[in-house]
């Protein structure tokens, strides 16, 4: 098969790494890719948010299967364009990707399917939203309806903070994403993520994970895209997973099918778990980044088989051979991230590090220049290891980090603390 992966982050590098190991993969192209992906695939420039361009590219390069990594091309309908051109595709339609692109839509689906989630109200103007906050009191959660690059959620501990968030959103600080606002009950408990493939009707769980959103140790500092992750997440026990599938995930998939907008792709469900009861925090229509890195580390080559089974509507018969193992990834970011940081600083020592099925450095914001690896983004490397226990995986990941020579980078030293 000729396979195309769209995207250029650590998520896509880990997908490329897993796909490449499967003998079904004859030729792998990544667009646009990064310096790490360039070591295992052919990286080519492409406007991945333009469906016409992506379809034309697939024609030129005889692509048999296209895997869409990030949310932007999904929301832009690239999967719809690919399917209309009869190209086998992994990734939901724009309609189905509304589960990520609109918080109000997700709430409506929860209502229709009876899935447990935070109580909420939905507003199109500031006056009514302010009155609701004053009536409900704090803590309370204010969310911009649309895609806001992970910044559209304000967990307000005081009424003042919540009112300020509402004013900001309706003043246009979040652009179109803030034209509508969802205000939610503040939920307490432990957060974890569950990843499930759906072919429109059947589902296949492909792992659990926990992320670390804050920039610094001890969950301090500003919110980021994620500074590290591990899989499995102990709080998502077999019993909690079964409950989550029966009460939340399958009813969502059924409701989407009933509406004529079947969900086909990976559904990333974020849960708040308290006393063994999961409630939905949010859905994403893609793999998490860096959660994908730990899932791929555990799945290896069989990831391609299940992604194809998903795209071909054969999930009812698909199976995963789980090893009784753990994976952990630590993100190396440029000093200053998630705020301003230096670009094009040189990373040394990477080539000398031996990598194998239990230790991989997935690249995110890197580029190759005159044979040197440069850091070009905020999150730069995902140092990932697998072990018989979480503690072993963590020790191996930090051991790899010690071998990297990059004075402009920083990382958290406590990834996995909650589970350990
Ligand atoms: P979201 O983008 O919806 O995942 O929200 C980002 C983060 O805000 C989540 O990972 C939670 O930590 C927090 N959050 C969102 N909604 C709630 C809620 N209703 N109660 C408590 N925390 C929440
Ligand atoms: N790591 C969080 C996300 O991918 O949304």
């Amino acid at each position: 098969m000729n396979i195309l992966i769209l995207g250029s982050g650590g998520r896509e590098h880990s997908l490329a790494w897993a796909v490449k190991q499967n003998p079904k993969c004859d030729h792998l192209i990544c667009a646009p890719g990064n310096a790490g992906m360039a070591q295992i695939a052919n990286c080519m420039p492409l406007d991945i948010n333009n469906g016409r361009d992506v379809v034309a590219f697939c024609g030129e390069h005889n692509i048999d299967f296209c895997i869409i990594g990030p949310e932007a091309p999904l929301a832009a309908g690239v999967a719809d364009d690919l399917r209309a051109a009869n190209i086998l595709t992994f990734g939901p339609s724009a309609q189905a990707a509304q589960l990520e692109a609109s918080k109000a839509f997700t709430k409506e689906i929860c209502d229709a399917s009876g899935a447990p989630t935070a109580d909420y109200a939905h507003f199109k103007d500031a006056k009514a939203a302010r009155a609701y906050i004053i009536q409900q009191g704090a803590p309370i959660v204010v969310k911009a309806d649309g895609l806001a690059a992970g910044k559209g959620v304000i967990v307000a501990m005081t009424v003042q903070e919540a009112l300020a968030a509402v004013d900001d959103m309706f003043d246009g600080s979040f652009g179109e994403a803030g034209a509508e606002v969802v205000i939610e009950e503040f939920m307490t408990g432990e957060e974890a993520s569950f990843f499930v493939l759906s072919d429109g009707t059947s589902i296949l769980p492909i792992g659990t994970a926990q992320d670390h959103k804050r920039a610094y140790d001890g969950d301090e500092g500003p919110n980021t895209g994620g500074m590290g992750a591990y899989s499995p997440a102990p709080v998502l026990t077999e019993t909690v997973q079964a409950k989550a599938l029966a009460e939340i995930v399958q009813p969502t998939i059924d409701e989407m099918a009933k509406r004529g907008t079947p969900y086909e792709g990976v559904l990333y469900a974020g849960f708040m778990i308290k006393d063994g009861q999961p409630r939905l925090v949010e859905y994403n229509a893609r793999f998490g980044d860096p959660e994908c890195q730990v899932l791929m580390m555990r799945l290896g080559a069989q990831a391609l088989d299940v992604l194809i089974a998903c795209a071909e509507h054969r999930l009812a018969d698909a199976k995963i051979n789980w090893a009784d193992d753990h994976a952990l990834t630590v993100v190396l970011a440029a000093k200053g991230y998630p705020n301003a940081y230096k670009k094009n600083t040189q990373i040394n020592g990477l080539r000398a590090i031996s990598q194998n099925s239990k230790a991989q450095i997935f690249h995110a914001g890197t580029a190759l220049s005159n044979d040197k690896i440069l850091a070009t983004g905020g999150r730069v490397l995902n140092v990932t290891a697998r072990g018989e226990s979480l503690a072993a995986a963590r020790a191996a990941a930090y051991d790899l980090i010690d071998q990297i020579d990059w004075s402009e980078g920083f990382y958290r030293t406590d990834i996995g603390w909650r589970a350990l």
Side-chain angles (χ1 to χ4, degrees):
M1 261 184 158
N2 295 330
I3 299 175
L4 171 65
I5 296 178
L6 301 183
S8 61
R11 166 179 51 210
E12 288 79 19
H13 186 184
S14 70
L15 285 164
W17 172 78
V19 161
K20 180 78 183 184
Q21 293 172 58
N22 190 308
K24 288 199 183 88
C25 176
D26 296 309
H27 185 57
L28 179 61
I29 301 180
C30 298
N34 60 36
M37 292 156 95
Q39 288 165 14
I40 55 169
N42 194 356
C43 290
M44 300 179 85
L46 174 64
D47 178 359
I48 65 168
N49 297 323
N50 182 320
R52 279 225 318 252
D53 288 4
V54 175
V55 168
F57 184 96
C58 288
E60 281 159 34
H61 297 277
N62 291 314
I63 297 299
D64 302 302
F65 184 39
C66 180
I67 300 168
I68 303 176
E71 61 273 28
L74 296 170
V78 171
D80 304 70
D81 294 333
L82 285 164
R83 288 199 181 94
N86 280 318
I87 297 162
L88 190 67
T89 301
F90 181 80
S93 68
Q95 286 283 336
Q98 285 294 301
L99 283 177
E100 171 163 6
S102 167
K103 309 242 184 234
F105 178 79
T106 297
K107 286 300 202 183
E108 186 195 313
I109 295 288
C110 286
D111 286 348
S113 62
T117 183
D119 288 338
Y120 76 105
H122 170 214
F123 299 95
K124 292 185 178 175
D125 74 276
K127 197 164 166 234
R130 291 178 65 96
Y132 181 77
I133 288 169
I134 290 164
Q135 179 218 331
Q136 293 290 317
I140 194 160
V141 183
V142 181
K143 299 186 174 186
D145 178 61
L147 291 176
K151 299 187 177 79
V153 174
I154 310 291
V155 179
M157 298 319 275
T158 65
V159 167
Q160 281 318 318
E161 222 183 310
L163 294 176
V166 159
D167 289 343
D168 263 7
M169 286 181 192
F170 285 112
D171 282 350
S173 313
F174 294 86
E176 274 298 300
E180 292 186 41
V181 166
V182 170
I183 301 180
E184 273 187 17
E185 166 202 357
F186 172 76
M187 294 188 283
T188 56
E190 185 171 344
E191 278 189 85
S193 306
F194 196 12
F195 295 83
V196 176
L197 298 184
S198 163
D199 61 12
T201 41
S202 298
I203 59 180
L204 178 72
I206 55 164
T208 62
Q210 271 173 316
D211 189 11
H212 299 64
K213 295 254 184 210
R214 301 296 187 121
Y216 313 132
D217 282 3
D219 289 336
E220 302 275 351
N223 260 318
T224 71
M227 293 299 292
Y230 54 88
S231 172
V235 64
L236 273 166
T237 60
E238 296 280 329
T239 316
V240 178
Q241 284 185 43
K243 237 175 154 41
L245 286 176
E247 295 177 9
I248 304 175
V249 179
Q250 188 70 56
T252 298
I253 298 301
D254 294 348
E255 181 64 26
M256 293 300 285
K258 199 173 102 189
R259 292 176 179 221
T261 53
Y263 190 93
E264 300 176 35
V266 59
L267 187 63
Y268 158 1
F271 297 131
M272 190 71 82
I273 300 140
K274 194 176 178 187
D275 303 328
Q277 176 64 50
R279 292 167 86 195
L280 184 73
V281 177
E282 63 160 354
Y283 280 131
N284 292 301
R286 51 173 174 85
F287 282 106
D289 186 345
E291 293 93 326
C292 187
Q293 288 81 312
V294 285
L295 298 180
M296 290 305 128
M297 190 91 223
R298 295 186 64 211
L299 290 170
Q302 60 183 330
L304 179 60
D305 297 324
V306 292
L307 297 191
I308 294 173
C310 180
E312 292 181 339
H313 308 107
R314 292 188 288 100
L315 277 184
D317 306 319
K319 278 202 177 51
I320 289 176
N321 281 320
W322 286 111
D324 186 13
D325 63 357
H326 299 253
L328 182 141
T329 188
V330 183
V331 171
L332 250 104
K335 280 180 188 164
Y337 172 80
N339 300 312
Y341 52 83
K342 267 197 236 168
K343 282 195 179 174
N344 299 318
T345 60
Q346 192 176 328
I347 307 170
N348 296 305
L350 282 180
R351 288 199 178 89
I353 300 175
S354 96
Q355 299 187 50
N356 52 50
S357 67
K358 293 192 166 161
Q360 279 292 319
I361 298 174
F362 297 121
H363 291 223
T366 65
L368 205 56
S369 169
N370 294 328
D371 220 30
K372 296 188 172 78
I373 293 173
L374 302 182
T376 54
R379 291 191 295 172
V380 174
L381 297 171
N382 302 263
V383 182
T384 312
R386 192 153 67 94
E388 282 174 11
S389 66
L390 187 63
R394 171 165 141 148
Y398 281 107
D399 184 52
L400 279 177
I401 286 201
D402 288 341
Q403 300 172 55
I404 301 172
D405 172 12
W406 180 38
S407 57
E408 294 300 326
F410 82 99
Y411 58 90
R412 279 182 60 161
T413 64
D414 64 348
I415 301 303
W417 68 269
R418 195 184 290 278
L420 294 166

